[in-house]
Every structure is written in C-alpha cells, then in structure tokens.
Amino acid sequence: MAVSTAAKRIVFTGGSGKAGRHVLPYLLSKGYEILNLDLIPHANPRVYTLKTDLTDSGQVFNALTSHFNMEGYAAPSVGKVDAVIHFAAYARNMLVPDNECFRGNVMSTYNVIEAACKLGIKKIVIASSETTYGVCFAQGDVDYHSFPLEEDYDVDPMDTYATSKLCNERCARSFARRFGVDIYALRIGNVIEPHEYERDFPDYVNNPMTRKRNAWSYIDGRDLGQICDLCIQKDGLGFQVFNATNDTITTKVPTMEFLKKACPNVKITREMGEWEAPLSNRKIREVLGYKDVHDWRKYVKP
C-alpha cells in the first residue's frame, strides 16, 4: 500500500457546490491541476468548469478525456487524468421528486465510475453520506442502533437520498473488484463553512437535540479537502468506506456521558474518546493519517 506524493491531474465533479467551494482551493494549494465538471462555474478563476450532464454517459466519457482548459490545445496531446473525485449530486431529499433524486444520483455515479474504470483511471473517490446511518432523513424520531457510528454499522436508511448513496457504494465496490482499482466512498458529515461557526454553532451547542439527525458530528469543508488529498495519496486499498468527519462531538458534555442521557436505549459498543464524535472518524485517522485542523472549539466557546 504505497503513498503517492507527486502532483496529479484531478477531474472533480460538483466542485461548485458547498463542499467543493472549500475542497478545491485546498487541493489547488497542494499543487493539483483540476477540471471541474458542474452545471455552474466555480468561483475560483484557477478552476475551469466544463458544463456536463453526468447522467449522460457519453458526456462523462468525453469530459474525462478533455483538456483541463483552453491552454490544453497548445500541448502535443490531451493529458491523462490521475484521479476522479465525484461529489456532484442532488444534495438532499425534496430538491426534486424522489424518483429523480434517485435516478440522478445513481446514474451519474454509475457513469462516472464506469467511465473512469474503462479509461484506466486507477483512483476514484465518491461522496457518500452520513444519511446512510438511517436517522438523518428518517420518518419521525428514531434512534441509532449503536454508538459509535463506524463503517461496519448495519446501514438501513428509509429515505430516497440515502438509499441512492448506498446504491453508489455497492456500485463502487463492484467496479473496484472488477477493474482492480481504488474506489474510496466518503460518508461525509454535515459540511460546515467558516462563516457558519459564529452563525450556527451557539444554537447547536446550546440545543444539542437539534443535532441528533447529524449524530452531533460535522466536517469542516477545508478539512474535507485534506481528506480528499489523503485519499489521492494513499494507493492500494481497493474499495473502502470512510466516515469523513471532524474529531469531536458538538456538545458541552463529554461524549459517553451525553449519549447515555440523550439516547439511553442505544448501546455503546466500545469505550469512546472523551470528546469523540459519535460519527467516528477513527478509520481515516488510523488508515489515512487524517489530522483534525478546524475543531469547532477554535471558533466558538462552549
């Protein structure tokens, strides 16, 4: 399992969205070249956006063999793509009817993975979701099966968006096995932008039950950039699922004390760190070497 460090060329889908606004600048700072596949341009002038309908497999194959900008025509040939990061999706339920949410999310992911594999791209990262753990978009107030939420949890969501993400994980596993490539699925927590700490976290901290559906966890968009970078660098893992969250719980009370009071009927399967996020990132810390940078306590006093 080697670690690759050379700068690479990345095709990133959905880079103009909430997460991409912070992930792409981080990756640019690490020296990557990026082509953004989206329906609207990215705000950063260093990122060229190719307007692409990802539910059209022909467009996807074409985009993955495209120049990264107009300057590409001066080169002797089209440069190869080293990695694909696929974040584009309907971001939740109720943006479009359920059948369209499912169709768009599943078909776009299938098309991206298929094209990347058949074009010989050996590293693919896809955005899965915290919603797969079955509570975020559940009907009514339901409990988690157990804590912490880790990647071997029996995920059983009841909503369309999360179900589409589980289908994408299965698709990724199938293609990784068939083509012998690395495909890492990130179960991304609630993405937080820098300005949202001052605006939102006082309420999150003082009214913690409002965060049950997010498992009292989150991911700073900039730290998500670090996770994407680490995924690109770490080769040879085949298909993997990683929780993509920051280290700590969004409460004033230590984790196990809080969970025993907030969810008294939910078992805790192991000793948890004093402030460990219930949606645990232990695997990305141990396997990828993730180091938490943007802990919410740096920006908001509990």
Side-chain angles (χ1 to χ4, degrees):
M1 291 179 287
V3 175
S4 305
T5 57
K8 295 180 177 179
R9 289 163 51 89
I10 305 168
V11 172
F12 196 109
T13 79
S16 303
K18 182 178 183 180
R21 287 197 294 269
H22 303 282
V23 172
L24 264 61
Y26 183 94
L27 295 176
L28 288 171
S29 76
K30 295 295 182 179
Y32 294 104
E33 296 180 57
I34 300 171
L35 173 64
N36 180 36
L37 306 185
D38 210 316
L39 298 178
I40 58 174
H42 194 277
N44 191 318
R46 293 175 59 194
V47 177
Y48 191 92
T49 299
L50 188 65
K51 186 176 180 179
T52 308
D53 177 1
L54 299 176
T55 66
D56 180 333
S57 62
Q59 290 195 36
V60 175
F61 270 93
N62 196 297
L64 293 187
T65 55
S66 171
H67 293 306
F68 274 32
N69 51 48
M70 294 298 292
E71 296 173 2
Y73 288 100
S77 61
V78 177
K80 76 179 186 72
V81 174
D82 296 294
V84 174
I85 301 179
H86 174 52
F87 274 31
Y90 292 117
R92 59 173 173 81
N93 297 303
M94 298 299 294
L95 295 174
V96 292
D98 282 352
N99 65 314
E100 172 59 19
C101 177
F102 186 85
R103 184 197 72 85
N105 287 358
V106 173
M107 284 306 306
S108 62
T109 303
Y110 179 90
N111 289 342
V112 168
I113 293 174
E114 178 190 40
C117 288
K118 290 184 176 179
L119 291 169
I121 299 168
K122 300 298 185 181
K123 177 62 63 65
I124 305 163
V125 180
I126 67 169
S128 188
S129 172
E130 64 175 349
T131 62
T132 58
Y133 288 98
V135 171
C136 188
F137 293 138
Q139 194 73 44
D141 182 21
V142 302
D143 279 335
Y144 295 97
H145 303 320
S146 61
F147 292 114
L149 308 179
E150 295 187 298
E151 291 83 355
D152 60 355
Y153 183 99
D154 180 20
V155 285
D156 61 345
M158 63 177 80
D159 69 283
T160 299
Y161 173 79
T163 301
S164 77
K165 292 296 185 177
L166 281 186
C167 288
N168 293 342
E169 289 185 13
R170 177 58 67 177
C171 177
R173 182 179 178 183
S174 298
F175 273 91
R177 181 183 178 197
R178 177 182 174 186
F179 287 89
V181 299
D182 291 339
I183 308 183
Y184 305 159
L186 303 179
R187 289 181 180 163
I188 298 171
N190 181 204
V191 176
I192 299 298
E193 299 185 87
H195 71 275
E196 293 179 317
Y197 289 106
E198 181 179 1
R199 186 190 72 187
D200 296 335
F201 266 67
D203 182 60
Y204 294 167
V205 173
N206 291 315
N207 299 287
M209 292 312 293
T210 64
R211 297 293 289 171
K212 179 180 179 180
R213 289 179 181 267
N214 302 103
W216 303 281
S217 306
Y218 72 101
I219 181 64
D220 186 287
R222 297 161 293 184
D223 286 330
L224 184 55
Q226 179 197 159
I227 292 170
C228 289
D229 179 33
L230 292 170
C231 286
I232 295 168
Q233 291 187 43
K234 178 70 83 171
D235 295 330
L237 300 181
F239 172 72
Q240 295 289 329
V241 174
F242 293 103
N243 288 340
T245 56
N246 284 82
D247 286 359
T248 60
I249 192 170
T250 57
T251 62
K252 297 178 181 179
V253 179
T255 299
M256 292 188 66
E257 178 184 349
F258 175 79
L259 293 177
K260 288 176 181 178
K261 292 180 179 179
C263 302
N265 298 318
V266 179
K267 63 182 177 181
I268 298 176
T269 59
R270 65 165 171 83
E271 188 72 21
M272 298 180 67
E274 182 180 12
W275 298 100
E276 183 178 356
L279 182 54
S280 176
N281 69 1
R282 183 170 70 167
K283 184 177 178 181
I284 60 167
R285 288 186 280 113
E286 294 179 351
V287 176
L288 299 183
Y290 170 75
K291 304 292 184 184
D292 205 52
V293 176
H294 298 286
D295 187 283
W296 67 270
R297 289 171 178 80
K298 290 183 179 180
Y299 309 104
V300 179
K301 296 302 179 183

